[in-house]
Amino acid sequence: MSESAMPGSPVTGGPVAGPAPAGPAPAGPAPARPEPATARVRAGLPGRYLLWLGGTQAGLLGDAALHFALGWAASAHGGGAAGLVLTAITLPRTALVLLGGAVADRFGARRVMLAGDAVMLVGTLALAAVASGPGTPLHLLVAAAAVIGTVDAFYLPASGSMPRRLVGTRQLPRALALRQAGGQVAALLGAPLGGALVAVGGLAGAALADAVSFGLVLLVLLRVRPPAEREAARSADSPGLLREAAAGVRLALADPLLRAALLLTGAAAGALLPVVSLLVPLLARTHGWGAGAAGLVVGGQGAGVLLVAGLVSWRGALRRAGAGAAAGLCTASAGIAVLAWAPGVEPAVAGGVVVGVGSGLFACHLGPLVLGGAPEGHLSRVQALLTLVQSAALVLSTGLLGVLADAAGAGWPTALCALATGAAGLAALASAALRRA
């Protein structure tokens, strides 16, 4: 299933202990914080995690190719139709993700993932069969997008919690960094693969390829089982799923570290993510660089993320994860500032690399803090809240930055993103909960 590029992506183990009671979390020992790995902690990651990750990355690649194919098919109906298809993915995912987290915590993340992959296997096969006929009607694209967004709402929180269910807390930073690197590779290769599949077999070919990837993920999940997985305890007096979702929100907001990490994630999502997706193309058009130059800048950003994620997965994270996340935002701020005032393509590409390095530092350090700090019975709900915070901040900021770019040019909103990202990094350093983490 599709994953975001932010932490725990951003990002995420232990057994599902059954439904958590509605209301404040019960008193007891504080949840375990991740213990970042150092260069001396080099034990290999568990084979079950590597097997799951391999299957997941194959699924991500298939998803990326299908998303490109859907967008391409929708563009034939006009810009409004393309926007409608994207909205049909985003809207149900955002509206249902907290419920999806509660479902995964109650019934088990692995079960939710098995059900989601089975639904998508059937759905992509059906899409391939229908799309093989003449023409691709808009209602078919909207229906396929709505199914993807709905399944994502339940799948993403479950998938995000799996790293902690499969590895120990000491290995969590390396495990998440390796996942981040794999996701970045899938993002870089997905669009070209989707283009090739569409050229050969149209939307039907891309859907069939994605169906194969879902079949592969299903086979992997049938073999991989978290070591302490057990039946979720359900009783007649269990609180409803909506109350469980609300309990997860209350728990996260009551925990100083989780609360600070969620606020920081929202600030980073709103100020950092629109730079590549929205402002880089606008800057390229403003300066007359062309689409190829914009692609180089985006590729530089991806290379920076991949470099840091690969290094952390090999050597381990910094000892102070909160400081590492703050340093990442400050680094990204410097790169965005270079993009805002770059006189030519070469400085802009260099700025893109710096943005990627900062983004990678942030994701690879904040993700383990959030996932390691969540109680075992709330892993998926915390991941769902993280997804919601990112999505809401991104939707809000993208619209505002687009309006500002129309009014004042692309340089000023890019500079504003640099200031906001740097301010978020400094705020992280000022937060005692994050600074000491």
Side-chain angles (χ1 to χ4, degrees), residues 28-237:
R33 306 299 187 198
E35 184 178 350
T38 66
R40 294 187 299 273
V41 182
R42 299 289 300 282
L45 293 171
R48 60 179 178 271
Y49 176 73
L50 296 177
L51 178 60
W52 171 80
L53 185 62
T56 298
Q57 298 312 134
L60 284 177
L61 186 59
D63 284 352
L66 179 60
H67 288 180
F68 174 87
L70 282 173
W72 181 262
S75 66
H77 296 274
L84 179 62
V85 171
L86 291 177
T87 302
I89 295 176
T90 304
L91 188 60
R93 182 167 61 196
T94 303
L96 298 174
V97 69
L98 291 180
L99 179 63
V103 169
D105 278 335
R106 175 182 284 199
F107 298 106
R110 178 173 171 271
R111 288 174 177 164
V112 169
M113 293 171 67
L114 284 168
D117 284 320
V119 169
M120 289 305 300
L121 174 59
V122 174
T124 48
L125 287 174
L127 177 61
V130 176
S132 61
T136 308
L138 180 59
H139 67 267
L140 172 65
L141 301 177
V142 173
V147 171
I148 291 172
T150 301
V151 174
D152 273 358
F154 294 86
Y155 198 97
L156 293 179
S159 177
S161 71
M162 283 295 283
R164 186 170 150 192
R165 301 181 194 276
L166 295 173
V167 305
T169 54
R170 287 179 67 88
Q171 296 175 309
L172 196 54
R174 291 177 57 211
L176 289 178
L178 188 60
R179 187 183 183 211
Q180 179 85 11
Q184 191 64 47
V185 170
L188 290 173
L189 297 180
L193 176 61
L197 290 171
V198 168
V200 174
L203 177 60
L208 187 59
D210 201 22
V212 172
S213 75
F214 282 117
L216 177 61
V217 176
L218 266 175
L219 291 176
V220 169
L221 281 174
L222 289 173
R223 293 198 57 184
V224 174
R225 184 185 297 271
E229 184 183 68
R230 61 187 180 188
E231 293 290 329
R234 297 185 298 279
S235 61
D237 60 349

Side-chain angles (χ1 to χ4, degrees), residues 245-279:
V249 174
R250 288 194 295 270
L251 178 138
L253 296 181
D255 184 282
L257 178 57
L258 290 178
R259 182 174 63 246
L262 286 169
L263 290 173
L264 188 62
T265 297
L272 184 54
L273 291 184
V275 172
V276 172
S277 61
L278 173 69
L279 296 176

Side-chain angles (χ1 to χ4, degrees), residues 264 308 317-331 357-366 369 428-429 434-435 437:
L264 188 62
V308 173
L318 299 175
R319 188 176 296 274
R320 292 287 186 183
L329 289 181
C330 292
T331 301
V357 169
S359 300
L361 279 172
F362 174 73
C364 290
H365 288 88
L366 194 72
L369 282 181
L429 289 175
L434 287 171
R435 188 175 62 251

Side-chain angles (χ1 to χ4, degrees), residues 223-425:
R223 293 198 57 184
V224 174
R225 184 185 297 271
E229 184 183 68
R230 61 187 180 188
E231 293 290 329
R234 297 185 298 279
S235 61
D237 60 349
S238 295
L241 288 170
L242 292 179
R243 292 180 63 189
E244 291 187 25
V249 174
R250 288 194 295 270
L251 178 138
L253 296 181
D255 184 282
L257 178 57
L258 290 178
R259 182 174 63 246
L262 286 169
L263 290 173
L264 188 62
T265 297
L272 184 54
L273 291 184
V275 172
V276 172
S277 61
L278 173 69
L279 296 176
V280 167
L282 292 177
L283 286 169
R285 289 185 179 275
T286 298
H287 295 297
W289 292 341
L296 288 176
V297 176
V298 174
Q301 186 266 352
V305 172
L306 191 58
L307 174 65
V308 173
L311 185 61
V312 173
S313 67
W314 175 45
R315 302 287 294 181
L318 299 175
R319 188 176 296 274
R320 292 287 186 183
L329 289 181
C330 292
T331 301
S333 174
I336 298 171
V338 172
L339 283 175
W341 310 115
V345 175
E346 292 80 5
V349 173
V353 173
V354 175
V355 172
V357 169
S359 300
L361 279 172
F362 174 73
C364 290
H365 288 88
L366 194 72
L369 282 181
V370 174
L371 187 54
E376 290 186 352
H378 290 70
L379 291 178
S380 296
R381 276 172 283 181
V382 170
Q383 288 298 299
L385 185 57
L386 193 67
T387 300
L388 180 62
V389 166
Q390 291 180 79
S391 298
L394 181 59
V395 169
L396 179 62
S397 66
T398 298
L400 293 176
L401 290 170
V403 171
L404 182 57
D406 286 340
W412 287 107
T414 307
L416 180 62
C417 285
L419 289 174
T421 304

